[in-house]
Each structure stands twice: as C-alpha cells, then as structure tokens.
Amino acid sequence: MALLQISEPGQSLDPHQRRVAVGIDLGTTHSLVAAVRHGVAECLPDEQGRVILPSVVRYLEASAGGSGRQIGFDALAAQVDDPANTISSVKRLMGRRRDQVVDVDKLAYTVVEDSGMAQIDTVAGRKTPMEVSAEILATLRYRAEDSFADDLFGAVITVPAYFDDAQRQATKDAAKLAGIEVLRLINEPTAAAIAYGLDHGAEGVYAVYDLGGGTFDISILRLTRGVFEVLATGGDSALGGDDYDQALAAWVLQQQGIAADSLDASARAALHKEARRVKEALSAAPQENFRAMLRGRVVEQTVNVADFEACTEALTARTLSAVRKALRDARIAKNEVQGVVMVGGSTRMPVIRRVVGEFFGTDPLVDLNPDEVVALGAAVQANALAGNSKDGDLLLLDVIPLSLGIETMGGLVERIVPRNSSIPTARAQDFTTYQDGQTALALHVVQGERDLVADCRSLARFTLRGIPPMAAGAARIRVTFTVDADGLLSVGAKELISGVEASIDVKPSYGLSDEQIAKMLQDSFSTAQQDMAARALVEARVDGDRLLVATRSALAADGDLLAADERTTIDALMAEVQARLGSEDAAAIEAASEALAKGTEGFAALRMNRGIQQALAGKKLEEV
Ligand code: ADP
Ligand code: MG
C-alpha cells in the first residue's frame, strides 16, 4: 500500500507560521506533552522544569473555594490524606462500564455505574472518567500554549493498542472537553517506534515492551513500506511498577517480622511510597536504605539489588510469559524480532533490560527516556499532521485489521475495503437491484476475511429507500465506504439516476477486541491455527512441569519453613497444576501454573531470608 502524502510538496509553512501541534501521552500513572521544536521532538516542562504530570486529580469540596481541584503533583501529594476524592488511574475507567473495570473494588475512590458507564463519586459531585481526563489534558494544553505563547492547533493523543472503540471514543471526548482538537489517536507502541525512527529503518518485525506503573503491554509490530501493522498485543492489565513496590514492601515487612494486616491504610500507603523510592534508587545504585515510620517506630532495612530482584522475580517472569504469548499470537519466532523498544518508567530497572535482552538475544533500545518515548513519537506525528514538517515528509498511517464489505445475494460477501488498507481511505462500488420495480435496498455491512456472511461479523444494516421503480438491474446504486484516520467507518449508498441517498456511521475494527480480531484472522487459515494451538499446549505443559519440579525441590529443602496450612495450600495448588497437565486446555494449564507461582511467592521470600541468614552465620563478624 502506498503511503498517503498529507503535506503538499513545497507547501511547508514558514517557521513563524508554524502551527502549534503536540503529542500527548495520556498515561495511567503519568501524562506528558511533547512538541517538535527546531526539528527535534522534546517534552515540554512545567514552570518547575518537570516534564511528567502525575495523572491524578483531586476534587475539593465546593465550599472550600478556589478552583475546586488539584491536578498533578499537588493531587498526588494529597492522595494519602484524601484517597476518596483523589482520582488516579482514571484511564482504567475510560469507556468502560463499572463491571468491566478490573479490580474496581480495590480502588480507593467510589466508582458507580451511571448512564452505562463507570463514574466516580467525589465531594464535588459525580464525575465521568472523561471529565477527570479532561483536567489532565487541559493542564497539558495550557502548558503547551504557555510554552509557545500561542494557541494550540491540535494534538495527537496516544492510546494503548488494545483500546477498543468505546475507549478511543472516550479519549476523544475527554480531549473535546479540554478544548483540544484531536488530529489523530495513535497506538502507544506505534508512537514509541516512531520516536526511534524505526519507520525510516529496515522493514521487519519489532516488539515494544511497555512496563508502566500499573500495566504491562507487549506489542508486536510489523513495518512494511513505512506502515506499522499491529500483529499482536498482549500483556497484563494488572501488572506494573506498583506491583514491584508491593513486593518490596512485603519483603521488608517479612524481614522485620511485621504482619502486613497489622498496619492501617496510612501506614501501608507510607510503606508503598518508600518502597517505590527505594526501588527507583536501586535502578542506579547497588543498595539503598529503606526507612519508614510504622506503628510509631522507625523501621530501617538495607535493601540490595539482589534482594530486590529475588523478591520480584515472579513479576518479571510474568512479563516474559506474556511476551511469549504475544509472539505465539503473531506467529513470530523470537529471533525474527529485529528490534525491541523499551517503554515505561519500569524499564529503567536493570533487571528488566537484562532479561528482555536475554530473551530476544538483542540489546533493547533504551537511548530515549522510557517515560518520554511515547509522547515524543506522538509529537513527530502531530508535527507532520499539522503540515509543519519538511517537504516530502511522509506520514505513517495505520491500517485496518479486517476487510470491510457488504452482503450480496446468496449470503456472500463483496469485499469493498481489503484488510491492511491504510487509513484514511474511501472506496466505492456500484450495485443494482434484482427485482423489477424494487424501491428499496437493504444493505448489510460486514467485517471479516471469510466469503460467507455467516462467518463474518455483522457491523450494521440500513436501507436505501425511494428508488424509483425500474426494471431489475437498471438502477445504479453506488455504495461508498469511508474510513477516517481514527478507524471510524461510515457507509453511504446513493442511487445515481434518481439521486436518493442514505448513510450510516459504523464502528469497524475497534468494536472488536484484539482477541476477536486475532480469532477471525485465524479462522481464515484454519490449519495454521491448529498448529498454533498445539504449540501453545506444548509450551504450557513444559512451563507447568518445570514449575512443579522447582516447587518440589524447594519444599524438600525448606519445607519446614511453612506452617501446616500454608503447606496444604501449596500442595493443593501443585495438585491442580498436576491435574491440568494432562488436559488439552493450554489456558487452564497456564492459569494453574500462574496460581502456583503466585501462591509460592511468600515461601520464596522465606527461603531467601533463610539463605541470607545461613550465609551470614557461616562468617565471622568482621567478614560481614
Ligand atoms: P504509566 O505508563 O503507567 O503511566 P510510567 O511509564 O510513567 O507509567 O511508569 C511509572 C512507573 O515507573 C512507576 O511504577 C515508577 O516507580 C517506575 N519508575 C520510574 N522511574 C524508575 C526507576 N528509575 N527505576 C525503577 N522504576 C522506575
Ligand atoms: Mg505508559
């Protein structure tokens, strides 16, 4: 597919006519705004020189006066004292119903279901996730306008590759509330790849490993003729840097012989805050002192990198199993991946860089700041879309993942926009009536790669009425499919002789989950799919088996560390893995292995503790 050229050659604007166009990374934990200045993308700082804006909004009681809310660092600082009105991680609520939000009951604020969406109750009233996000976006908009002393022309906003239509629409709505013109939504991994200039590099397959604060995303992209196609996405929406903090905090408590459930919420919050600080320090130093006030006494603990890596090992391993799964879904062997882009603050942890490098057998790309890389790539796109870039600069375009077509006689599909067409696109095709005197034509819009309507997904139906009665085959009905740059489809039908028309907006690809898309693609190559399932099963069995062997030997060595009930729990988890190994269900085996891995985390910490004590016991004091 040839690239569409958006800026006319020779029509680039004078420097003083440049439009202010920015890229915005609207993150779960942090958000950033970046722009191209003097030909280079850079993140824009606030008045205090900080480029990161915590994605946190605190609502104050209306009677308290002032603006009624705090945004960013101020809100973050207030979170410990006012958790119920301080909204963090609102991205997880965007475009979701309450029952679709993972672990919604664990959030410190109250989420209710209202008007078909998750909303938040605060002292300042009920807020939609779009309103909360709009506060963050508006803050970044003002930052950009202040820094250029000009109005914002528009922004490219990034979203996770797996965001569905509702989540993308919610993001656009939030931008609208913030008074921002959305030039385009682009996928976060695509933005990261653009920031590294991979779009100008060798064609091939790239992986984007994004470990943020609360989520892990892995994307496998294929670059062909300058266009990135998302081959597969995966990850874990409940695994991120926060979990590393938790694991470290739990380890410290264990070292100190403090029971976690003896702590109140504010002590726990203080503990996690300190754990996070220590974790981040350990990315640059071999050891760090953990210091927190717990139950009126100062708790101190020296933590070295080896302790930290050991108590978080299971988390790191979970990211790699998600990588393996995404590669399987994309049907790509890991040695076919020619570059790995690291994104997200948590990829600063040296252990992550090391294991990812070992896994792919190639050094990951880490030259750009992992917090900034998504915003920087979005800025490059925004600059080009605003017409600021140099002559001949081409734009990367997304492609549609599944073909779009309409139903014709006999339940067959006439494909109008083929899969992998770059967007935006418009295609038309002429049809006619099949009965004498027919005055209406029912149109059925479908999506998929199969030839029978029954095997494709139905997107929409509408009817063109008012066709003047003619002989069968005389009417000329032109059906036009238009897919805009955000992947939203509209379909129009017009009878060319009489001029009557009808149209409808439909939501194509993004209404499907990535799994559904993957499945529909797989079904069109059914034999290959069986191979894949077989491979997944073999891998799940091998992994489960390996875990059982490791657990058994740990129990043989240090089983005496466990209380009887803890031992019973682990035995039950092992029995479950053992039982699943014989089944044909790879997912069930993986789930059982996962449960065992999680269930033995505490035991692993106890063992490590003993190991350290034994090591120390063997030495004289002066050697320590
Ligand atoms: P998100 O995309 O979820 O908004 P970010 O990409 O901003 O998240 O990553 C935030 C996470 O990165 C936090 O868990 C934070 O502790 C972690 N992080 C930031 N700097 C470091 C560091 N130097 N070492 C380890 N982790 C870090
Ligand atoms: Mg991120």
Side-chain angles (χ1 to χ4, degrees):
M1 208 73 41
L3 287 171
L4 300 190
Q5 198 162 3
I6 303 279
S7 55
E8 292 278 319
Q11 298 258 312
S12 157
L13 300 172
D14 287 348
H16 60 273
Q17 282 187 312
R18 291 176 71 85
R19 294 159 163 168
V20 179
V22 297
I24 294 179
D25 173 5
L26 184 61
T28 311
T29 320
H30 295 130
S31 296
L32 297 98
V33 58
V36 173
R37 248 203 269 238
H38 316 299
V40 188
E42 54 186 49
C43 286
L44 307 178
D46 64 9
E47 331 69 85
Q48 299 183 49
R50 302 173 296 203
V51 297
I52 275 177
L53 177 73
S55 303
V56 185
V57 178
R58 179 192 182 197
Y59 289 94
L60 305 170
E61 217 165 340
S63 62
S67 64
R69 62 214 187 291
Q70 294 173 316
I71 298 157
F73 285 100
D74 295 344
L76 185 63
Q79 190 163 32
V80 174
D81 297 325
D82 189 17
N85 297 302
T86 309
I87 318 306
S88 57
S89 302
V90 71
K91 187 169 176 178
R92 294 176 41 203
L93 274 49
M94 293 283 276
R96 306 275 81 173
R97 292 190 314 268
R98 187 180 190 281
D99 64 356
Q100 292 174 308
V101 179
V102 181
D103 282 341
V104 68
D105 294 316
K106 289 196 189 150
L107 293 169
Y109 47 86
T110 308
V111 178
V112 297
E113 177 77 7
D114 186 348
S115 322
M117 65 173 117
Q119 299 200 19
I120 306 132
D121 274 343
T122 75
V123 280
R126 190 163 286 180
K127 304 289 174 189
T128 65
M130 288 84 99
E131 285 174 275
V132 181
S133 297
E135 299 286 359
I136 298 160
L137 288 169
T139 306
L140 297 173
R141 172 187 158 200
Y142 299 141
R143 183 187 291 185
E145 292 183 339
D146 289 349
S147 117
F148 286 93
D150 195 357
D151 289 345
L152 186 64
F153 172 73
V156 166
I157 301 179
T158 58
V159 290
Y162 58 77
F163 253 27
D164 66 17
D165 187 73
Q167 292 166 300
R168 287 170 197 260
Q169 199 60 57
T171 306
K172 287 183 105 176
D173 292 346
K176 200 186 280 174
L177 287 173
I180 295 173
E181 167 78 19
V182 179
L183 300 173
R184 188 168 296 178
L185 298 180
I186 67 171
N187 291 328
E188 289 163 10
T190 306
I194 293 169
Y196 273 103
L198 298 182
D199 45 321
H200 301 301
E203 294 197 340
V205 177
Y206 294 91
V208 180
Y209 179 105
D210 179 351
L211 188 58
T215 54
F216 170 61
D217 300 318
I218 175 76
S219 312
I220 312 295
L221 308 180
R222 187 201 298 281
L223 175 69
T224 322
R225 276 158 292 177
V227 176
F228 283 108
E229 178 193 2
V230 179
L231 295 181
T233 66
D236 191 331
S237 56
L239 172 62
D242 298 346
D243 299 285
Y244 284 75
D245 306 347
Q246 304 259 14
L248 178 58
W251 181 81
V252 168
L253 288 181
Q254 219 149 35
Q255 296 298 300
Q256 298 283 333
I258 300 171
D261 48 20
S262 71
L263 301 175
D264 61 15
S266 88
R268 269 204 296 271
L271 192 70
H272 287 150
K273 202 169 162 194
E274 176 64 358
R276 179 170 177 167
R277 186 194 67 76
V278 170
K279 171 193 75 175
E280 293 179 3
L282 288 174
S283 292
Q287 70 173 46
E288 179 68 19
N289 209 24
F290 187 106
R291 198 165 186 286
M293 277 290 276
L294 293 181
R295 293 187 303 186
R297 76 179 173 98
V298 178
V299 168
E300 278 197 274
Q301 173 80 43
T302 304
V303 188
N304 61 45
V305 169
D307 299 330
F308 174 69
E309 293 185 358
C311 73
T312 56
E313 196 180 347
L315 300 172
T316 306
R318 268 166 69 193
T319 71
L320 290 185
S321 34
V323 172
R324 274 193 286 272
K325 180 168 184 309
L327 286 169
R328 275 202 301 266
D329 288 350
R331 296 183 208 171
I332 294 290
K334 60 185 178 184
N335 58 10
E336 291 174 63
V337 173
Q338 63 194 51
V340 185
V341 176
M342 296 296 251
V343 182
S346 298
T347 61
R348 287 216 182 75
M349 291 189 281
V351 61
I352 297 293
R353 296 180 173 188
R354 197 171 68 233
V355 299
V356 172
E358 280 163 11
F359 180 85
F360 284 103
T362 170
D363 283 339
L365 295 166
V366 295
D367 299 334
L368 296 176
N369 186 328
D371 302 320
E372 297 182 0
V373 56
V374 168
L376 295 174
V380 172
Q381 277 284 278
N383 192 54
L385 284 170
N388 290 337
S389 53
K390 294 192 302 288
D391 291 358
D393 246 12
L394 296 178
L395 286 182
L396 290 161
L397 297 166
D398 277 332
V399 296
I400 60 161
L402 293 170
S403 302
L404 299 165
I406 66 168
E407 174 170 359
T408 60
M409 289 297 294
L412 290 178
V413 177
E414 179 72 25
R415 225 162 274 162
I416 297 191
V417 186
R419 162 179 148 71
N420 278 342
S421 302
S422 50
I423 54 176
T425 187
R427 308 271 174 118
Q429 194 148 326
D430 289 350
F431 295 86
T432 187
T433 49
Y434 64 94
Q435 275 178 354
D436 285 340
Q438 186 176 344
T439 58
L441 184 75
L443 290 144
H444 182 197
V445 182
V446 298
Q447 178 177 46
E449 306 314 307
R450 304 284 291 272
D451 293 327
L452 291 178
V453 168
D455 298 326
C456 289
R457 180 171 183 259
S458 168
L459 287 180
R461 291 173 187 275
F462 69 109
T463 307
L464 176 66
R465 297 182 194 283
I467 303 171
M470 286 180 256
R476 275 188 63 207
I477 295 146
R478 177 158 298 173
V479 176
T480 312
F481 276 50
T482 311
V483 184
D484 73 12
D486 299 312
L488 300 175
L489 167 69
S490 48
V491 181
K494 183 175 187 177
E495 202 288 309
L496 296 176
I497 299 167
S498 61
V500 293
E501 48 190 320
S503 72
I504 189 170
D505 287 336
V506 271
K507 298 168 174 180
S509 62
Y510 298 137
L512 290 174
S513 71
D514 285 306
E515 288 89 289
Q516 284 171 305
I517 292 178
K519 179 161 187 320
M520 291 171 88
L521 288 177
Q522 280 164 19
D523 287 348
S524 61
F525 313 101
S526 50
T527 53
Q529 187 208 10
Q530 276 171 3
D531 296 348
M532 235 177 60
R535 202 162 86 199
L537 183 62
V538 170
E539 290 185 29
R541 282 182 178 153
V542 169
D543 287 352
D545 214 38
R546 200 177 282 155
L547 191 62
L548 278 182
V549 170
T551 312
R552 272 192 213 111
S553 82
L555 285 173
D558 293 311
D560 58 303
L561 288 169
L562 293 171
D565 60 331
E566 295 172 317
R567 175 65 190 247
T568 313
T569 311
I570 292 179
D571 283 343
L573 290 169
M574 287 176 66
E576 179 67 13
V577 175
Q578 189 68 60
R580 295 287 176 196
L581 281 181
S583 81
E584 302 291 310
D585 185 349
I589 300 173
E590 272 172 16
S593 304
E594 187 89 34
L596 176 59
K598 259 194 113 73
T600 51
E601 277 172 19
F603 178 40
L606 289 173
R607 293 190 70 210
M608 198 171 55
N609 199 352
R610 166 178 279 182
I612 294 167
Q613 279 163 5
Q614 282 168 348
L616 292 178
K619 290 180 185 166
K620 292 201 220 70
L621 206 54
E622 52 271 36
E623 293 181 273
V624 177

